[in-house]
Amino acid sequence: MKRIWSSVTTLAMLVLVSASAQAQMHEVTGRVTATNGQPLPGVLVAVVGQQTGARTNERGEFRLQVPTGDVTVVARAIGYKRGTQRITSGSSTADFSLEKDVLELEGVVVTGQATSTERQNAATAVAVVSSAALSRVPATSLESALQGKVIGASINMNNGAPGGGGQIQIRGQSSLIGRIEPLIIIDGVAISNATRSNRMAVVTGSLNSGEENGTNRLADINPNDIESVEILKSAAASAIYGSQATNGVVVITTKRGKEGSPRLNFTQRVGTSALIRKQGSRHFANLADALDAVAGNNEGIAAATAACTATSCPYYDYQQELYGHKDPSFESVMSLSGGVGGTRYYASGSDKQESGIALNTGARRQSLRANIDQAVGQRITLSLGSNLIRSFSQRGVSNNDNAFSSPIYGFGYTPAIVDLQQKDALGEYVLNPFAGGGTLKGSNPFQTFDEMTSNEDVYRLIFSGRANWAAYSGDKNSLTFSLQGGADRYSNENYIRAPQNLQFQRAGTTQGGTFPGTIIQGNGTERLTNVSGSAVWAFTPGWVAATTSAGVQLQDRAFNDYNMVGRGLGPQQFVAAGAQNITVTDRQEKSRTQAAYAQEELLLFGERLNLSGAIRGERASLNGDPTHIYYYPRAAASYRFASPVRFVDQLKFRTSLGVSGNQPGYGDRFLALTSYGLIGGLPAYGLPATIGNPLIKPERLNEFEVGMDGAFFGDRMSLEATYYNRSLTDLLVRPQLAPSTGITGTTVNGGEMTTKGYEFGLTLVPVQSNDLTWTSRTTWFQSRADITSFPAGVQPFTTSSIGGFGNAYGRLRFTPGHTVTTIWGNKVINGATVGNQPLADANPKYVMSFGNDLSYKSLNFNFLVDYRRGGTISNMTLSLFDEGLNTWDYDKPSPDPAIGATLGAYRYNLWNGGGNTEPYLVDGSFTKVREVNLSYQLPARMVSRIRGAQSGKISLSGRNLFIISGYNGFDPEVNNGGNFVVRFIDLAPFPPSRSFWLSLDLGF
């Protein structure tokens, strides 16, 4: 690393010394307009091959310093095809007229930490989502806004709780027990996407942090501030990020100011959400049926007898009563942007208040952003950005638990024949006599959501800065130095109060025990900082455009988390410190990654042939040997044919090879001692049950990709197709250890797996005229991940309950010769139950999306539909209701009365206490109407009535309006354990909702 820094410093000194030898410059002025003559502000005009240039003002005018001699100047703007002109040495003016890029064939994509290239020349598969596509329909989080818009990325929300909480999985599974989330970059700064445990499991008795219904931190980011999102899917595209890139990289670019007078934009939205797929519960016909459901529960028998008659029972729609709230939601967004001289600025503020569909649930996100770009003379540009965020959420209780406190879990065992919302003379809720077998074993969900407090409060600051110095600019050469850095820090405070009067927290209950009532207070802070320096040399003699770059990077991470759990509360106690039983947990983590890279990109034959290669060397403190340097090379090539035959506008073939990595987890390498207490009156220490591995190293991904991109029929159709083959080696796996060692677990490298897949995208413009434009987009992709081998000493292994609840319900069991997504369980063979049998696969056969955008004069209509074919779900929610004789379809006719008299009894008896897993492994196919939006651009005469307003738009939109599926449950997209390598468990989720929004946008 020291040698690299020394080389960069020496090069900078040489440039300073040679400054007097720079080429003479002269000024070129001009104007950039659209084809209809309207000026285009903010267009980047630059000499081909150079990293910096000039931007047009609000009148579309620019002034650009170019080297003396003949040069080629290019004008680029988002949403438009680029324009180029050859400027001779005697010319001082150049005007451009840019056409709309309806098919989005052009644009700039990332190729390195300091370089980019035209999209039409990219040698890897490219996925870019624009600002307009992200923000046209409000979403709970950025993941939700991206659903259905990225080929090859499975983007799923974990449940319907307010505030977000989702998972992005790019090109299938890339690890078994390692990190599964993509790297997130915002304006060059790596940010956290962690999901922090709030210790809700202590209150509800759930089995792991994934069941606590937490929110990952990407939900903090305001989609209204985003200019574009680029997904780096292949290893060749992401290798420049080394051992943090196996799961892909999400590169987010925020909005910047454009030269011109100040522009103020204001958006006000009002909306509401509603339960989308209610299942209800069994309608009991009479007392006899109700008594059958509560047999053996004396309190339940008494309650049923009081509620029902011999001929009828009342019915209370618990799900509608708890999740049927439609309180209004609001979002206010304001931004100010502009620029004068060498200064451009963008500032925004937003406040979104999202009301949940359940009692006392909701979320609020407040954001302030300021971005500024400053030119210092002709050669130096400075860019600064900051984002202050506050995210507050109340997400209630959901998913699995062991106290029947999760509403859907409890409803499964609660005949809906008693009004659980009623209160006695003292204002106390009635106790639920059914769930769990009596009042000491169950809960009243209405009381829980009304009186329990569960708050998550996050304050976050993201800061970024970049300095570019155009050290040398000649007619054939340019040299630019960049220094970039930033930080992401958040503080996540959790506060949970479950008072002792809650049914499941009372003395003698499973969770209350001898210490009724629980308070949890905690805070987690995480800080990511990174700084990088780079040098870019562009060489453009005419026959080739060569870009050589090199740089270094340093990234640090620090995490500190503590929780104080107090059990045994007084009636008016609101802090943990005064509880009868107090425990404290604390965790600290620190890590550092250092890297250097070099990259070469060549454009030849009139920018038709693109060749690139790069290598990154990296060392990290998470590795067993923190001084060892791991190398991540990549190479890519593409060739573009311009109008090779009739009706073919351009056709590009591309291929790439790349290597990326996945760092071990924190602590995987540590050989730490643990306290054994006092032995013989002296402190004693020894090995813990789980030990570290000093030889641990990153997982390694080698990926081959090949594909084509084409435009046809006068840019009225575009097609992209990609095949990839990923080979993953040095997988992190868990060996079996002899019990006699006293050590139960460790992590080693050695497993291998492959992931193969196909991606296709088709865009059509069936109609394009002055008044009407219709654009249609269809995507299709599939992938399959196979485990090929484990090292000696590693047998097939399972995961925690996040990966399934044993053979009875279906679980993951990582086994060579099978897919990562294989579901294992019990199967009846020759009349006997045999365990650990491969039964189904959670991986969808394929995923499609279908979107359309129609514009007619001032009207615009968009819709987006998602379709998933296949993918097995373990429907444990259905199993709960069947076990409680309380399923919504329990009384439907049985397929085989010999097994069960009704449909519900048939399923449950066929399951046979878990001896036959298959009855609750069901098809998870679905069609979802993700987005619908209708907007109208207000006429000038109407807008003019608002003082100072220059433009206006009114929109009506909806998200997740319909789920079309044969799935017998709430939503096949949910997952009990939150973000995990394989998603297939439906267990008492927070039900999904649809949302409707009315928006007014004004520009001043």
Side-chain angles (χ1 to χ4, degrees), residues 140-199:
T140 56
S141 65
L142 181 58
E143 296 101 324
S144 180
L146 287 170
Q147 286 183 301
K149 300 170 185 174
V150 180
I151 308 177
S154 297
I155 304 174
N156 299 281
M157 306 307 292
N158 292 329
N159 57 39
Q167 179 176 356
I168 301 174
Q169 192 172 57
I170 300 171
R171 289 188 171 175
Q173 293 73 32
S174 299
S175 182
L176 300 180
I177 61 174
R179 186 173 181 266
I180 60 172
E181 294 288 336
L183 177 66
I184 312 293
I185 305 290
I186 296 183
D187 293 337
V189 178
I191 70 163
S192 172
N193 189 30
T195 303
R196 178 177 173 268
S197 169
N198 61 6
R199 300 302 306 280

Side-chain angles (χ1 to χ4, degrees), residues 556-828:
D556 284 341
R557 174 182 179 267
F559 177 74
N560 183 26
D561 185 277
Y562 75 87
N563 280 281
M564 183 164 59
V565 179
R567 300 184 63 229
L569 306 180
Q572 297 298 319
Q573 191 169 339
F574 293 89
V575 294
Q580 295 175 346
N581 181 280
I582 300 174
T583 58
V584 178
T585 61
D586 186 20
R587 180 179 177 86
Q588 292 186 349
E589 301 176 3
K590 289 186 178 181
S591 63
R592 167 169 288 187
T593 301
Q594 298 170 299
Y597 75 92
Q599 178 171 291
E600 182 66 39
E601 299 171 89
L602 301 174
L603 279 175
L604 302 105
F605 305 132
E607 296 191 4
R608 295 187 181 185
L609 175 63
N610 180 14
L611 302 174
S612 66
I615 188 168
R616 173 182 168 113
E618 178 186 290
R619 64 187 184 189
S621 62
L622 295 177
N623 300 328
D625 181 358
T627 64
H628 183 79
I629 298 177
Y630 294 89
Y631 292 96
Y632 302 95
R634 73 172 181 90
S638 68
Y639 190 86
R640 180 170 55 88
F641 296 91
S643 301
V645 295
R646 189 181 181 187
F647 303 124
V648 178
D649 306 310
Q650 56 178 298
L651 192 63
K652 180 181 67 177
F653 295 94
R654 48 183 166 79
T655 185
S656 65
L657 289 167
V659 180
S660 61
N662 198 18
Q663 292 181 351
Y666 183 85
D668 282 352
R669 76 178 183 91
F670 296 134
L671 289 173
L673 298 178
T674 188
S675 174
Y676 280 18
L678 295 177
I679 300 179
L682 297 175
Y685 299 91
L687 291 176
T690 302
I691 64 171
N693 177 5
L695 301 178
I696 203 76
K697 57 185 178 181
E699 298 177 312
R700 197 166 182 87
L701 166 66
N702 295 266
E703 181 174 15
F704 167 72
E705 178 187 279
V706 63
M708 62 81 64
D709 304 286
F712 310 89
F713 305 109
D715 285 348
R716 300 290 288 271
M717 183 180 87
S718 70
L719 176 67
E720 56 183 293
T722 302
Y723 166 77
Y724 59 86
N725 188 333
R726 313 180 113 197
S727 174
L728 294 111
T729 58
D730 293 329
L731 281 178
L732 299 172
V733 292
R734 296 190 178 121
Q736 281 65 49
L737 302 174
S740 59
T741 64
I743 300 171
T744 59
T746 189
T747 302
V748 301
N749 295 98
E752 296 184 6
M753 60 183 281
T754 61
T755 302
K756 299 177 182 179
Y758 300 88
E759 299 168 354
F760 296 96
L762 175 66
T763 303
L764 299 172
V765 186
V767 180
Q768 186 175 23
S769 65
N770 291 333
D771 292 334
L772 177 64
T773 300
W774 173 19
T775 305
S776 178
R777 170 81 166 160
T778 302
T779 67
W780 182 98
F781 68 89
Q782 69 172 194
S783 67
R784 174 189 169 107
D786 290 274
I787 303 172
T788 55
S789 68
F790 281 164
V794 177
Q795 300 298 318
F797 65 94
T798 61
T799 62
S800 67
S801 58
I802 302 179
F805 292 83
N807 276 319
Y809 296 100
R811 65 176 178 178
L812 300 179
R813 184 173 182 264
F814 300 132
T815 306
H818 293 271
T819 64
V820 176
T821 50
T822 297
I823 301 174
W824 300 73
N826 292 327
K827 186 174 184 178
V828 178

Side-chain angles (χ1 to χ4, degrees), residues 688-994:
T690 302
I691 64 171
N693 177 5
L695 301 178
I696 203 76
K697 57 185 178 181
E699 298 177 312
R700 197 166 182 87
L701 166 66
N702 295 266
E703 181 174 15
F704 167 72
E705 178 187 279
V706 63
M708 62 81 64
D709 304 286
F712 310 89
F713 305 109
D715 285 348
R716 300 290 288 271
M717 183 180 87
S718 70
L719 176 67
E720 56 183 293
T722 302
Y723 166 77
Y724 59 86
N725 188 333
R726 313 180 113 197
S727 174
L728 294 111
T729 58
D730 293 329
L731 281 178
L732 299 172
V733 292
R734 296 190 178 121
Q736 281 65 49
L737 302 174
S740 59
T741 64
I743 300 171
T744 59
T746 189
T747 302
V748 301
N749 295 98
E752 296 184 6
M753 60 183 281
T754 61
T755 302
K756 299 177 182 179
Y758 300 88
E759 299 168 354
F760 296 96
L762 175 66
T763 303
L764 299 172
V765 186
V767 180
Q768 186 175 23
S769 65
N770 291 333
D771 292 334
L772 177 64
T773 300
W774 173 19
T775 305
S776 178
R777 170 81 166 160
T778 302
T779 67
W780 182 98
F781 68 89
Q782 69 172 194
S783 67
R784 174 189 169 107
D786 290 274
I787 303 172
T788 55
S789 68
F790 281 164
V794 177
Q795 300 298 318
F797 65 94
T798 61
T799 62
S800 67
S801 58
I802 302 179
F805 292 83
N807 276 319
Y809 296 100
R811 65 176 178 178
L812 300 179
R813 184 173 182 264
F814 300 132
T815 306
H818 293 271
T819 64
V820 176
T821 50
T822 297
I823 301 174
W824 300 73
N826 292 327
K827 186 174 184 178
V828 178
I829 301 176
N830 297 325
T833 295
V834 181
N836 290 327
Q837 296 298 300
L839 302 177
D841 201 305
N843 189 46
K845 294 180 180 178
Y846 58 86
V847 177
M848 293 183 67
S849 71
F850 180 61
N852 280 266
D853 185 347
L854 293 96
S855 297
Y856 177 69
K857 295 185 177 179
S858 298
L859 281 173
N860 185 262
F861 177 69
N862 319 87
F863 70 87
L864 176 66
V865 176
D866 246 357
Y867 175 65
R868 185 178 79 180
R869 175 64 175 170
T872 299
I873 304 294
S874 175
N875 193 346
M876 294 183 64
T877 302
L878 184 65
S879 171
L880 295 180
F881 277 79
D882 279 351
E883 187 171 64
L885 284 71
N886 199 24
T887 321
W888 44 89
D889 62 353
Y890 192 88
D891 292 316
K892 287 186 175 182
S894 169
D896 187 349
I899 297 176
T902 65
L903 177 59
Y906 168 82
R907 285 189 302 251
Y908 192 73
N909 293 341
L910 190 63
W911 179 62
N912 191 26
N916 177 19
T917 308
E918 291 179 312
Y920 294 110
L921 297 181
V922 297
D923 180 27
S925 300
F926 65 78
T927 300
K928 287 193 176 186
V929 181
R930 292 288 188 193
E931 296 180 357
V932 175
N933 177 65
L934 176 64
S935 63
Y936 175 63
Q937 200 74 33
L938 299 177
R941 65 179 183 278
M942 184 180 296
V943 175
S944 63
R945 297 176 183 177
I946 303 173
R947 186 174 181 181
Q950 297 180 348
S951 63
K953 182 176 68 174
I954 189 168
S955 306
L956 180 63
S957 58
R959 180 172 294 279
N960 293 328
L961 296 185
F962 305 102
I963 301 176
I964 304 170
S965 175
Y967 181 72
N968 194 12
F970 290 97
D971 187 356
E973 186 181 330
V974 301
N975 188 48
N976 174 68
N979 295 3
F980 197 59
V981 60
V982 182
R983 304 169 59 91
F984 73 102
I985 300 175
D986 175 352
L987 178 53
F990 194 112
S993 63
R994 58 167 63 95

